[in-house]
């Protein structure tokens, strides 16, 4: 018999965890002498109070959807891909290579190739840790951490020594051509007559991210491969007994995971910066961990959690602009969300299970 | 080619840079030997660096700073222990949370206390650890070869450097020659057996995590009050992860930890001194030197050069059978 009803497991536990994380965050705000209620009001106003705010919130959310899905897919195969940061960095390299290789005549031609390039480079960066895990038993967490640093050094080298335009001091690639400029939400919504901020960076990548959420759902719950991934994640011996090859599952799920993380670059490199700069990922790879944990590794959960983190990011930027609360408050909130929804899950779950068990006894 | 004085300077800087790595590596060694993975070394060091720098700046006493650093680091260890031991959560996720908690809180608090953009005021006088001049350093300085080695390389470091190096034999003795050490290693290999013998698995694991907090605290305090004069945002700069790499490189052994952290400290010293290294026509870029510790760790983990086998019960919460 289930220890508690499914709705409690899927909705109640994460909500309580989230609530605890937010209460502690509010205490931090009080401790540094600011008013948490005013802070929340300012965040709401700044993040969703205007189409400009929405444009930033959705822009950040797009990044987090990709990295969140990346972590979630690996979680389903019971692997912890902590290398989203490096994979997204390499994804940026893939986008830059595609965008700079040809004088693209139109974004509609450049976009699919860029998506492919980003996914390919991201997947390639996940491939080595995946292979080492599958064949040599090297712990995927440690190798993906190492690959984050190696990726950062590699990109640093390429930007300084190889891809920097002649005469430029800035360690960045040249600006991409006009044919790679992606339509922003302003352009897209203007077609159907909805006014939207012209200045905000949210672009067509948001729609790609939503499609990616749907496709991951399809993959995990509606295909044979998804079943194999979940089976392997739940129990390796059982999966092997059922004829599922661990090497194949580890490789495939990590390649998908790395590819998804890499695809984030379509949003931030191609959609926003329109050139490749140093440290363009800005920690979004790590936020994917919080997003996947909060979304319970379900694509719809990831979608919601990514929007929430997009809101926190944009709201936090507003706070930093208008109050003395630094941007790093968001890092604290992110840490607390990871702590409560991930590591301290049992702290919420155990008392709840007892409560439901007691209730059920009363009924009987 | 490098002359003798330059070589001495590079080795001297190797010792300085290896010290925080060594302390953090030994910290991780205690924790992981007891079966608790710790990727939160970075965060604990960072928190210790901030609180030691902050308290030293406010009180003017470096020793109070050190204590504050240790307290902060041990508090984070307590959170990790709570999640990993008591609530049997995922130790890796808990470590990630600790890292972010430290990265965020240090800047938020630093901004609130000092309003200097996430840093502490520069430490002066008694708020910093000063170099210790070993006996006869000046007298022996004129002795050829050995004199400068003694004066430059061995003498003239802060007390924390000597403490870190002394921790190596101490750790070896504690882990391999005492009952406490045997139990600590046993809970990392086969906790059920330890439990059967009537020894507390939870108690031993908490002890290991507490020692880990203590050592990370010293490592962080060293960064802010000895290596540099004050805390700056993200000043650990990945050292916690390099220490983790060094721990794997050392195959979870104290003496190997000394050599691996010295090696990684040497790489940092070289990268700091030379931008690009010309090896007879082949130029090694500085970025490659930066990445080398991580590349070496991946190679070791892949088992191409020796095999690194972690403690058997590492990462697994212990559940007593009912």
């Amino acid at each position: 018999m289930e220890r508690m009803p499914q709705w409690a497991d899927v909705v109640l536990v994460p909500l309580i965890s989230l609530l605890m994380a937010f209460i502690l965050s509010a205490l931090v705000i009080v401790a540094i002498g600011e008013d948490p209620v005013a802070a929340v009001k300012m965040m709401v106003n700044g993040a969703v109070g205007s189409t400009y705010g929405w444009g930033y919130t959705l822009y950040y959310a797009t990044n987090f959807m990709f990295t969140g899905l990346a972590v979630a897919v690996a979680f389903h195969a019971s692997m912890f891909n902590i290398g989203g940061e490096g994979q997204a960095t390499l994804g940026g390299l893939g986008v830059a290579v595609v965008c700079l290789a040809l004088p693209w005549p139109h974004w509609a031609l450049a976009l699919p190739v860029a998506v492919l390039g980003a996914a390919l480079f991201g997947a390639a960066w996940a491939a080595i840790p995946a292979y080492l895990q599958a064949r040599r038993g090297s712990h995927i967490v440690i190798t993906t951490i190492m690959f984050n640093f190696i990726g950062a050094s590699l990109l640093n080298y390429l930007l300084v020594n190889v891809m920097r335009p002649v005469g430029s001091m800035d360690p960045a690639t040249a600006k991409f051509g006009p044919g790679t400029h992606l339509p922003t939400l302003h352009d897209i919504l203007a077609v159907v007559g909805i006014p939207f901020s012209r200045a905000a960076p949210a672009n067509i990548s948001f729609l790609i991210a939503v499609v990616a959420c749907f496709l991951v759902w399809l993959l995990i719950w509606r295909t044979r491969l998804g079943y194999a991934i979940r089976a392997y994640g739940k129990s390796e011996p059982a999966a092997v007994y059922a004829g599922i090859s661990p090497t194949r599952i580890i490789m495939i799920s990590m390649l998908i995971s790395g590819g998804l993380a890499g695809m984030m670059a379509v949003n931030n490199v191609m959609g926003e910066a329109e050139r490749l700069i140093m440290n363009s990922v800005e920690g979004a790879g790590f936020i994917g961990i919080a997003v996947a944990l909060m979304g319970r590794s379900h694509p719809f959960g990831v979608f919601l959690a990514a929007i929430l983190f997009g809101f926190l990011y944009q709201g936090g930027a507003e706070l930093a602009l208008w109050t003395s609360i630094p941007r790093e408050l968001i890092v604290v909130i992110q840490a607390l969300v990871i702590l409560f929804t991930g590591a301290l899950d049992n702290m919420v779950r155990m008392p709840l299970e007892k409560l439901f068990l007691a209730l059920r006894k009363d009924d009987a | 080619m490098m002359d003798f004085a330059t070589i001495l300077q590079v080795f001297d800087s190797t010792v300085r840079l290896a010290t925080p790595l060594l302390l953090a590596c030994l910290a991780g060694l205690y924790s992981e030997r007891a079966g608790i993975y710790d990727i939160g070394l970075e965060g604990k060091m960072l928190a210790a660096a901030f609180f030691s720098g902050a308290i030293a700046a406010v009180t003017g006493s470096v020793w109070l700073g050190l204590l504050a650093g240790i307290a902060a680091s041990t508090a984070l260890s307590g959170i990790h222990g709570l999640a990993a031991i008591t609530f049997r959560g995922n130790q890796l996720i808990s470590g990630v949370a600790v890292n972010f908690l430290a990265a965020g809180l240090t800047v938020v608090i630093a901004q609130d206390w000092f309003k200097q953009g996430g840093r502490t005021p520069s430490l002066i006088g008694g708020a910093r650890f000063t170099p210790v001049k070993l006996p006869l350093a000046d007298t022996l300085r004129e002795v050829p070869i050995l004199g400068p080695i003694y004066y430059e390389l061995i003498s003239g470091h802060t007390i924390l450097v000597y403490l870190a190096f002394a921790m190596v034999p101490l750790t070896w003795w504690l882990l391999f020659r005492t009952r406490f050490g045997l139990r600590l290693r046993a809970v990392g290999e086969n906790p059920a057996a330890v439990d059967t013998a009537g020894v507390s698995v939870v108690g031993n694991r908490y002890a290991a995590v507490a020692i880990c907090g203590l050592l990370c605290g010293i490592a962080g305090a060293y960064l802010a009050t000895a290596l540099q004069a004050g805390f700056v945002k993200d000043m650990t700069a990945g050292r916690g992860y390099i220490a983790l790499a060094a721990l794997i490189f050392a195959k979870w052994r104290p003496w190997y930890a000394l050599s691996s952290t010295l090696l990684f400290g040497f790489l940092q010293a070289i990268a700091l001194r030379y931008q690009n290294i010309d090896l007879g026509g082949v130029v090694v870029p500085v970025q490659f030197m930066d990445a080398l510790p991580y590349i070496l760790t991946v190679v070791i983990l892949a088992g191409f050069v020796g095999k690194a086998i972690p403690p058997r019960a590492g990462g697994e919460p212990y559940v007593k059978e009912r």
Side-chain angles (χ1 to χ4, degrees):
Chain A
M1 196 202 273
E2 294 284 335
R3 285 188 178 173
M4 57 179 165
Q6 212 192 347
W7 65 268
D9 185 54
V10 176
V11 180
L12 198 58
V13 174
L15 273 187
I16 294 176
S17 304
L18 202 60
L19 198 66
M20 290 170 74
F22 283 154
I23 290 173
L24 277 182
S25 310
L27 289 180
V28 171
I29 297 179
V30 172
I32 60 175
E34 295 278 340
D35 178 6
V37 178
V40 170
K41 267 187 194 152
M42 187 176 281
M43 286 176 83
V44 171
N45 211 7
V48 294
S50 63
T51 60
Y52 176 79
W54 267 108
Y56 268 96
T57 298
L58 292 180
Y59 165 72
Y60 290 125
T62 307
N63 289 341
F64 305 154
M65 262 176 231
F66 282 120
T67 54
L69 285 175
V71 177
V73 168
F75 269 156
H76 277 292
S78 121
M79 274 183 297
F80 188 9
N81 176 15
I82 206 165
E85 194 76 7
Q87 289 142 19
T89 303
L90 267 284
L93 183 62
V95 166
V97 167
V98 167
C99 288
L100 293 169
L102 293 174
W104 294 96
H106 192 267
W107 65 265
L109 291 173
L111 181 61
V113 186
V115 170
L116 207 66
L120 221 59
F121 274 62
W125 208 240
I128 307 168
Y131 176 81
L132 292 177
Q133 165 83 59
R135 281 304 168 88
R136 317 284 307 190
S138 330
H139 205 301
I140 196 101
V141 170
I142 305 292
T143 42
T144 47
I145 289 178
M146 301 298 142
F147 267 72
N148 283 341
F149 287 103
I150 300 172
S153 290
L154 176 67
L155 195 73
N156 187 321
Y157 172 76
L158 289 176
L159 286 182
V160 171
N161 299 36
V162 182
M163 299 179 86
R164 184 164 49 113
V166 179
S168 161
M169 289 304 289
D170 200 12
T173 65
K175 192 110 177 132
F176 302 158
T180 63
H181 175 78
L182 294 179
T184 61
L185 279 196
H186 166 84
D187 305 333
I188 297 167
L189 291 174
V191 176
V192 286
I194 301 172
F196 196 86
S197 166
R198 188 188 292 270
N203 58 72
I204 195 166
S205 317
F206 173 70
L207 301 180
I208 303 177
V210 174
V211 172
C213 285
F214 177 71
L215 289 180
V216 167
W217 173 80
L218 215 60
L219 167 79
I220 298 288
W221 276 283
R222 288 292 181 273
T223 66
R224 193 180 278 260
L225 176 64
Y227 180 79
I229 290 176
R230 281 183 297 136
Y232 173 79
K234 290 267 189 260
S235 163
E236 183 175 342
V240 170
Y241 189 70
I244 295 166
S245 151
T247 305
R248 183 167 166 268
I249 296 301
I250 292 174
M251 288 305 294
I252 292 180
S253 50
M254 277 304 287
L255 288 177
I256 295 173
S257 178
L260 283 165
M263 276 160 70
M264 182 198 122
V266 175
N267 186 44
N268 70 334
V269 176
M270 191 176 180
E272 205 254 343
E274 305 197 337
R275 62 183 190 144
L276 184 58
I277 55 170
M278 216 90 103
N279 191 22
S280 60
V281 185
E282 290 184 312
F286 294 118
I287 294 165
I289 299 166
V291 167
L293 283 171
M294 225 183 89
R296 283 290 184 273
S297 300
H298 191 288
F300 187 64
V302 167
F303 173 81
L304 291 180
I307 303 260
L308 177 75
F309 268 93
F311 159 79
L312 286 175
Y313 245 66
Q314 172 54 15
E318 289 284 314
L319 275 187
L321 204 58
W322 303 110
T323 71
S324 64
I325 303 174
R327 245 196 124 131
E328 278 74 11
L329 180 73
I330 303 310
V331 181
V332 177
I333 299 178
Q334 175 195 342
L336 291 170
V337 168
I338 295 178
L339 191 66
F340 283 104
T341 61
L344 286 174
D345 188 55
N346 278 333
M347 193 169 86
V348 177
R349 190 176 294 269
M350 283 172 177
L352 267 184
E353 279 175 354
K354 276 194 191 129
L355 183 72
F356 275 103
L357 220 58
L359 286 177
R360 197 172 305 163
K361 270 185 195 142
D362 288 347
D363 287 345
Chain B
M1 200 54 220
M2 285 191 284
D3 58 18
F4 184 59
T6 316
I7 293 173
L8 266 189
Q9 278 171 8
V10 169
F11 281 152
D12 186 53
S13 132
T14 298
V15 170
R16 283 172 216 280
L17 292 167
T19 298
L21 300 178
L22 178 59
L23 284 164
C25 183
L26 291 175
L29 195 143
Y30 281 98
S31 182
E32 302 211 346
R33 275 286 185 168
I36 306 294
Y37 280 150
D38 196 349
I39 56 175
L41 299 174
E42 176 88 359
K44 286 200 269 282
M45 274 164 82
L46 190 63
F50 168 68
F51 279 98
S52 62
I55 298 299
V58 172
T59 63
S61 160
V62 69
W63 293 102
L64 286 179
L66 177 65
L67 280 183
I70 291 173
S73 167
T74 314
L76 287 179
S77 268
I79 293 178
H80 187 53
L82 196 68
I85 305 169
T86 305
F87 289 110
R88 296 178 218 136
N90 187 319
Q91 300 171 2
L92 300 163
I93 293 175
S94 168
V96 171
V98 163
N99 285 338
F100 285 124
L101 202 56
L105 273 182
T106 50
V107 179
V108 170
I109 300 175
Q111 183 59 24
D112 183 44
W113 286 1
F114 303 108
K115 308 212 171 2
Q116 296 188 3
R119 56 193 302 152
T120 62
S122 288
L123 302 178
I124 40 166
R128 269 193 89 189
F129 280 104
T130 43
V132 178
K133 196 167 272 182
L134 292 184
L136 300 176
D138 283 322
T139 327
L140 293 175
R141 196 177 179 183
E142 301 310 318
V143 178
I145 309 289
L146 291 178
I149 290 181
Y150 185 69
Y151 183 84
E152 288 271 345
L153 191 58
I154 299 175
S155 174
H157 294 288
T158 58
I159 183 82
L160 296 184
V161 173
Y162 300 109
L163 177 73
F165 281 83
M167 278 310 295
V168 176
L170 187 67
T171 298
W172 173 82
W173 177 78
L174 196 64
L175 281 181
F176 296 96
R177 287 294 178 274
T178 68
R179 186 156 68 173
F180 170 72
L182 179 66
R183 287 174 173 175
L184 191 144
R185 284 182 294 129
V187 293
E189 296 286 341
N190 193 344
V194 179
D195 201 18
T196 311
V199 177
S200 165
V201 174
V202 169
N204 271 293
R205 286 193 162 172
Y206 265 109
V209 167
I211 297 175
C212 172
L214 171 81
L215 290 176
C216 278
I218 302 174
Y222 173 81
L223 287 179
T225 61
L227 193 65
Q228 286 167 39
F231 170 86
V232 288
K233 179 180 164 181
D234 281 330
M235 80 180 303
T236 41
R239 284 189 172 90
Y241 296 108
I242 297 190
L244 204 62
L247 180 60
I248 295 161
F249 211 67
K251 302 173 184 175
W252 293 269
R253 289 174 197 173
W255 286 106
Y256 286 25
L258 176 63
S259 39
S260 68
T261 47
L262 278 175
L263 170 68
F264 290 176
F266 176 69
L267 293 178
Q268 287 189 340
I270 292 279
L272 207 64
R273 189 174 174 97
Y274 305 97
Q275 275 304 297
N276 297 311
I277 302 159
D278 195 341
L279 291 178
V282 185
V283 176
V284 182
V286 65
Q287 293 91 349
F288 181 75
M289 297 297 293
D290 287 337
L292 202 52
Y294 308 111
I295 296 173
L296 287 176
T297 304
V298 171
V299 171
I300 270 281
L301 264 176
F304 296 126
V305 188
K307 187 123 182 81
I309 301 165
R312 202 143 51 103
E316 287 169 21
Y318 177 64
V319 187
K320 207 189 263 263
E321 275 187 73
R322 272 176 277 256

